[in-house]
Amino acid sequence: MTLIFTFIQQAIGQGIAILFGATGEIMTEKSGNLNLGIPGIMYMGGIAGLMGAFFYENHAKEPVAAIGFVVALLSTLIVSMFGGLIYSFLTISLRSNQNVVGLALTTFGVGFGNFFGGSISKMAGGVGQISVKTTAGAFRASIPGLSQIPVIGPLLFSYGILTYVALILALATTFILFRTRRGLHLRAVGESPATADAAGIDVTKYKYAATVGGAAIAGLGGLYFVMEYLGGTWSNNGFGDRGWLAVALVILALWNPAHAIWGSLVFGALYILYIYLPGLTRATQELVKMLPYVVTIIVLIITSKRNKPENQPPASLGTVYFREER
Amino acid sequence: MSTPAIELKNVTKRFGSVIANDNVNLTLEQGEILSILGENGSGKTTLMNMLSGIYYPDEGQIFVGGREVSIQSPKDSFELGIGMIHQHFKLIDVLSAAENIILGLQGEEILKMQEVYAKINELTAKYGFDLDPKEKIYNMSVSQKQTVEIVKVLYRGADMLILDEPTAVLTPQEIQKLFTVLRNMRQAGKSIIIITHKLNEVMELSDRVAVLRKGRYIGCVETAKTSISELTEMMVGEKISLDIHRSQPQDAHKRIEMRGITVRNKEGVRMLNKASFVANSGEILGIAGVAGSGQKELLEAIAGLQETETGGEILYYAPTGETLKLTEMTAENIRNLGIHLSFVPEDRLGMGLVGSMDLTDNMMIRSYRETGHFFAHRKAPRELAEQIVEKLDVVTPGVDTPISHLSGGNVQKMLVGREIAAQPIVLMVAYPVRGLDINSSYTIYNLLNEQKEKGVAVICVGEDIDVLLALCDRIMVMSGGNITGVVDAKSTTKEEIGLMMTGATKEKADHES
């Protein structure tokens, strides 16, 4: 029984970073921008938050948890939005190829993370020596009282604040996309920019807003990873391929952030399943690690067979919009 | 008389050296249905696009409700109460009708769809539309999509509606429904312009008819006081004689025979209805008809690019005496028989040529299989490209230039030249002179004539009746997917073809003219 509890807790811990990434990517993709730079942006967001906290804690005589929290949060948001802005400027304003820009941004972002991660590790005195205990403590603090309830407490209320932010953001993004005027306009932009343009919607503005906003949300996934999951430290390439899992989760969730919530749990569970399955050899472990991707492929096959238009990617996804080409 | 809803005075619009609208005057009275009649390319849509804010007139004035206005954008047009329903719907498939209708409108941030539904239902009840606001666009028929477009402009409060070829894609029953709705709207005081080339609909629906021909305003008549033949005459005008060399067909043999071919598009609409005809060798068979009457489907059915319904067959009588069923063959095999199709689409590129590839590569698209081994030969296609450039006077810096850098006429010469170079036995060309200047057009006409003299069976789909009359030996006329008749190009009249294009059969056309 406790094993199952631990498994679920661990799965949630794995899933939240992916959920942030997927929510951000869904918002971006709904504007027709296929931002494959999201994995890189998550690295950038993570390292930025860590650096913010690190420099604050190193310079303040007595670091205050709340200030460290705000500094880390702002650093993450600014840097990841900057990543989104680079992508937007290149693909929307300069009309470069989205795939090329996205992949370049991911390569850049991973390098950015590892470079600064390595640098501050050196400043801190060696690999694994970074510690921003005070700030990480603020991120890790669980809800007092509620988390003490037996069974339900550890299962539902034992997580840091970003876990709940991830859930709220996913639900709020769903609401904005499907229930508000701006959401309707954004979906229209992603489906057919020419039609949206003719209806008087500012296509460029919506694309920029969704892409930069989406990058900010995805960046929080990186922050979650370094603060809550790792507890305020850095290991090079430690974030692994979670960013790509986030991109895959977008497909599994059929471009609906609310679906991404349970999807992230499934992905999180499959991601760590190999630890809990007895009798796996090193080789079979690797096979089990493939499961999230296998599930994504199966979902792709099923949805393309059923061919329901709502479950398809936004029609203009991956293409740049030229008004003159009408 | 009350102030006219819309008045155009001396409006002129040019695209480069082409005059699309030349000094047009037009008045739309309040609460009337005005038809704008004209052939393809007569400038109807351009004229209306100046009212909907897509184009801006080069000269002339526009008055709306007696006040001179300057319509710079679709938004301006909409604010004046003008709503245009384009031929190509601007709707988003995955959204519902209601979502499409409110798209782009300002208002409360959180959508109250119930209120939107109620308002739409009120409109549909008032005018007699049949529309479920919750239905997704992708589940809708063409006629329902059109309904959404009309409700969209009404929802935004338009009281002047312009419909561009609204009946082109509808079934007869749907057309009647649309007319009922339009009459209801006229009753409610809306002013309506419909752009059309179908005479019977003009007679049935409109109060007045304005006729355009080749960009010029010919006149405006009251429907009650005119006749189909008078309108046809206004529409097609005098015959213009073109000096195209035409030789007598020599030694004509049956080459292609189509028997009862039916083609449906993906919406299930019949694009070609039990078509049967014969094309002979050593002859140019012209196909006349307004765009979208099934010409493209007909050619593609022969080329093996269209699924045809069972029951029909297309036979090919090879020069060797064999008879083959094309309906049972793949496009590639048909091509290998020497049956070539060159279709010049509206954007010229896109069908058969790749814009970013150079001339040589574009020649290779057709021939790369010929060498039979892994590495393609570039020498032969290069020589071919050079030959075509020289023979047809293609203006290009060289054969290594991307084809999209060439002007339209030169692109077309390459396209047609490539097909001819393959020494076809049957050559099908669609709109070969689309957008070309006179000299380039004549080069193409001469090429087609040369092919005919060599004994090739040429099928040519054209837009300009004068050209078809001067170039072809026989002319087949199509209307709404039906073949309305085949006439001898030397003895027929423009009026006869004009009438047949609007759906009258040959017998009826003979009777009328």
Side-chain angles (χ1 to χ4, degrees):
Chain A
M1 202 62 191
T2 31
L3 190 68
I4 290 177
F5 277 168
T6 332
F7 178 63
I8 293 175
Q9 277 184 325
Q10 294 286 327
I12 291 174
Q14 290 293 342
I16 293 302
I18 302 171
L19 178 58
F20 273 117
T23 305
E25 179 69 10
I26 288 172
M27 191 161 153
T28 309
E29 288 194 14
K30 279 289 179 187
S31 77
N33 280 355
L34 177 64
N35 187 357
L36 293 179
I38 284 289
I41 288 173
M42 293 176 82
Y43 263 90
M44 288 163 71
I47 192 63
L50 185 65
M51 280 165 77
F54 177 77
F55 287 122
Y56 168 70
E57 289 198 13
N58 271 11
H59 287 85
K61 282 199 185 93
E62 277 177 33
V64 183
I67 296 177
F69 182 89
V70 172
V71 168
L73 190 66
L74 283 180
S75 310
T76 295
L77 289 178
I78 289 167
V79 171
S80 46
M81 282 166 89
F82 179 69
L85 198 64
I86 295 174
Y87 178 88
S88 302
F89 180 68
L90 286 169
T91 63
I92 304 166
S93 300
L94 300 183
R95 296 175 189 137
S96 312
N97 182 296
Q98 295 190 2
N99 295 343
V100 174
V101 174
L103 291 172
L105 190 58
T106 285
T107 316
F108 169 77
V110 174
F112 180 95
N114 287 340
F115 172 73
F116 286 105
S119 308
I120 58 171
S121 292
K122 209 172 171 190
M123 288 167 71
V127 175
Q129 295 299 307
I130 310 169
S131 170
V132 287
K133 267 202 203 97
T134 323
T135 309
F139 279 99
R140 281 186 142 178
S142 56
I143 306 166
L146 284 177
S147 55
Q148 307 307 319
I149 307 170
V151 186
I152 303 172
L155 205 55
L156 297 181
F157 303 110
S158 64
Y159 312 100
I161 183 165
L162 282 181
T163 303
Y164 305 103
V165 170
L167 296 175
I168 293 164
L169 273 177
L171 293 173
T173 307
T174 310
F175 182 82
I176 290 170
L177 281 176
F178 298 103
R179 293 274 183 276
T180 67
R181 204 171 286 274
R182 287 202 177 91
L184 175 65
H185 291 179
L186 178 63
R187 282 184 292 148
V189 167
E191 288 295 330
S192 167
T195 307
D197 198 5
I201 298 169
D202 189 338
V203 174
T204 306
K205 197 175 92 186
Y206 271 90
K207 274 181 171 265
Y208 261 94
T211 308
V212 173
I217 295 174
L220 290 177
L223 183 67
Y224 167 87
F225 183 77
V226 294
M227 290 300 177
E228 189 166 335
Y229 187 82
L230 292 181
T233 186
W234 181 264
S235 72
N236 270 3
N237 290 322
F239 190 62
D241 51 4
R242 288 176 179 81
W244 292 114
L245 274 176
V247 176
L249 179 56
V250 173
I251 300 163
L252 182 81
L254 303 172
W255 291 267
N256 183 333
H259 288 325
I261 295 175
W262 63 259
S264 70
L265 193 61
V266 171
F267 269 21
L270 293 173
Y271 200 68
I272 51 161
L273 188 62
Y274 73 96
I275 303 169
Y276 292 84
L277 284 183
L280 291 179
T281 63
R282 271 202 82 89
T284 43
Q285 259 184 25
E286 294 301 321
L287 285 176
V288 176
K289 282 185 190 169
M290 281 170 29
L291 280 174
Y293 301 101
V294 174
V295 170
T296 306
I297 292 169
I298 292 170
V299 169
L300 264 180
I301 293 170
I302 294 171
T303 51
S304 65
K305 283 269 178 233
R306 280 175 55 207
N307 212 7
K308 209 173 158 223
E310 285 95 336
N311 293 345
Q312 299 303 314
S316 83
L317 188 63
T319 56
V320 286
Y321 175 58
F322 260 119
R323 175 181 265 187
E324 288 75 14
E325 264 179 11
R326 267 190 293 194
Chain B
M1 212 181 207
S2 62
T3 17
I6 298 175
E7 211 177 350
L8 298 177
K9 280 189 184 160
N10 306 320
V11 168
T12 299
K13 177 74 191 171
R14 296 184 199 89
F15 293 106
S17 60
V18 183
I19 299 184
N21 287 131
D22 188 8
N23 237 348
V24 175
N25 291 287
L26 194 74
T27 310
L28 172 69
E29 300 294 344
Q30 275 175 19
E32 74 160 351
I33 299 180
L34 172 73
S35 292
I36 298 188
L37 185 68
E39 286 185 278
N40 292 323
S42 56
K44 297 167 292 185
T45 305
T46 308
L47 187 67
M48 290 305 110
N49 278 342
M50 284 190 273
L51 287 176
S52 70
I54 292 174
Y55 298 141
Y56 194 74
D58 294 328
E59 284 164 33
Q61 296 162 291
I62 299 174
F63 296 86
V64 174
R67 199 163 51 86
E68 186 173 355
V69 293
S70 151
I71 305 172
Q72 311 261 13
S73 71
K75 206 168 153 244
D76 290 352
S77 160
F78 151 65
E79 274 163 12
L80 290 166
I82 302 172
M84 180 145 174
I85 289 99
H86 294 272
Q87 228 174 330
H88 301 284
F89 304 138
K90 289 193 152 77
L91 296 171
I92 292 174
D93 270 356
V94 299
L95 300 183
S96 69
E99 285 173 319
N100 269 289
I101 287 168
I102 60 164
L103 197 65
L105 290 179
Q106 301 301 315
E108 278 176 70
E109 191 45 48
I110 292 172
L111 296 172
K112 295 197 175 109
M113 292 313 284
Q114 292 307 327
E115 288 173 19
V116 177
Y117 296 151
K119 196 172 162 196
I120 292 171
N121 287 332
E122 198 181 303
L123 277 173
T124 51
K126 185 172 170 194
Y127 297 112
F129 291 106
D130 182 13
L131 179 72
D132 175 6
K134 286 177 213 158
E135 185 75 56
K136 294 277 165 79
I137 301 295
Y138 63 78
N139 278 330
M140 290 187 174
S141 68
V142 183
S143 128
Q144 285 171 305
K145 288 181 192 172
Q146 187 181 56
T147 307
V148 176
E149 287 281 11
I150 298 174
V151 174
K152 189 158 106 184
V153 300
L154 292 175
Y155 189 94
R156 286 146 200 252
D159 44 28
M160 287 159 274
L161 281 88
I162 304 169
L163 296 98
D164 189 359
E165 306 269 5
T167 59
V169 287
L170 303 184
T171 65
Q173 293 81 0
E174 289 167 343
I175 291 175
Q176 285 313 318
K177 246 174 153 176
L178 173 71
F179 284 3
T180 313
V181 166
L182 292 177
R183 289 193 189 103
N184 289 343
M185 293 202 286
R186 173 175 59 187
Q187 203 86 52
K190 308 260 181 210
S191 317
I192 299 163
I193 296 180
I194 79 166
I195 302 176
T196 182
H197 50 246
K198 293 185 187 163
L199 286 165
N200 53 341
E201 291 173 2
V202 169
M203 299 301 285
E204 190 186 332
L205 182 70
S206 57
D207 301 307
R208 289 188 311 135
V209 192
V211 183
L212 293 182
R213 187 204 312 148
K214 304 219 159 117
R216 278 202 316 272
Y217 174 69
I218 302 302
C220 191
V221 287
E222 275 179 46
T223 317
K225 293 180 188 159
T226 187
S227 66
I228 287 198
S229 54
E230 189 193 358
L231 288 175
T232 311
E233 236 179 272
M234 287 171 79
M235 192 164 97
V236 294
E238 296 281 297
K239 189 184 167 194
I240 303 158
S241 63
L242 294 164
D243 193 20
I244 299 172
H245 167 74
R246 173 163 58 190
S247 54
Q248 265 307 314
Q250 300 289 326
D251 191 25
H253 292 289
K254 238 193 223 179
R255 260 306 162 254
I256 296 270
E257 183 173 6
M258 183 179 271
R259 290 182 185 159
I261 289 288
T262 299
V263 171
R264 284 174 198 274
N265 68 3
K266 60 178 191 285
E267 271 105 37
V269 178
R270 246 187 239 178
M271 299 306 288
L272 198 59
N273 188 17
K274 296 201 177 113
S276 304
F277 76 97
V278 173
N280 298 323
S281 63
E283 153 192 280
I284 300 184
L285 173 68
I287 300 181
V290 292
S293 298
Q295 300 96 320
K296 185 176 175 215
E297 287 74 13
L298 184 111
L299 298 191
E300 289 189 345
I302 297 172
L305 300 170
Q306 274 282 354
E307 289 267 328
T308 58
E309 285 193 3
T310 46
E313 58 181 2
I314 303 170
L315 299 174
Y316 169 62
Y317 303 96
T320 54
E322 273 182 289
T323 305
L324 295 161
K325 269 194 189 165
L326 298 185
T327 18
E328 289 166 5
M329 296 170 72
T330 63
E332 196 189 334
N333 287 337
I334 293 174
R335 220 191 120 70
N336 290 340
L337 289 175
I339 301 174
H340 289 197
L341 168 62
S342 98
F343 188 94
V344 179
E346 275 163 50
D347 61 355
R348 295 205 186 110
L349 292 167
M351 196 147 172
L353 294 171
V354 179
S356 58
M357 285 175 22
D358 69 25
L359 269 49
T360 307
D361 288 342
N362 269 297
M363 295 301 114
M364 284 175 72
I365 297 175
R366 286 295 199 213
S367 62
Y368 71 99
R369 278 179 222 264
E370 278 160 19
T371 54
H373 45 75
F374 184 73
F375 293 102
H377 273 292
R378 284 184 62 89
K379 207 173 151 215
R382 194 182 171 88
E383 278 166 8
L384 173 62
E386 280 163 356
Q387 254 175 40
I388 298 175
V389 168
E390 194 181 334
K391 204 170 149 219
L392 303 186
D393 285 326
V394 177
V395 181
T396 169
V399 293
D400 300 320
T401 311
I403 206 154
S404 58
H405 291 193
L406 270 59
S407 77
N410 291 312
V411 170
Q412 258 152 285
K413 284 181 193 167
M414 293 306 296
L415 182 63
V416 177
R418 183 181 68 187
E419 300 310 321
I420 289 172
Q423 298 186 331
I425 298 167
V426 177
L427 176 65
M428 299 184 280
V429 289
Y431 312 113
V433 297
R434 186 175 250 167
L436 293 191
D437 61 44
I438 301 286
N439 286 330
S440 311
S441 300
Y442 274 83
T443 314
I444 303 267
Y445 300 147
N446 290 337
L447 279 173
L448 294 180
N449 262 319
E450 240 171 64
Q451 292 299 306
K452 161 185 156 185
E453 280 161 18
K454 278 188 191 162
V456 173
V458 180
I459 303 177
C460 173
V461 174
E463 282 174 314
D464 192 329
I465 304 175
D466 287 316
V467 170
L468 289 177
L469 281 173
L471 176 72
C472 305
D473 300 299
R474 292 185 302 141
I475 297 174
M476 177 162 92
V477 189
M478 300 186 71
S479 167
N482 293 305
I483 294 177
T484 44
V486 180
V487 292
D488 184 348
K490 285 178 219 77
S491 61
T492 189
T493 60
K494 225 176 152 182
E495 285 72 34
E496 186 180 33
I497 292 177
L499 275 175
M500 285 161 70
M501 276 167 63
T502 62
T505 54
K506 184 173 183 301
E507 291 70 38
K508 205 175 152 215
D510 284 343
H511 179 73
E512 289 263 354
S513 56

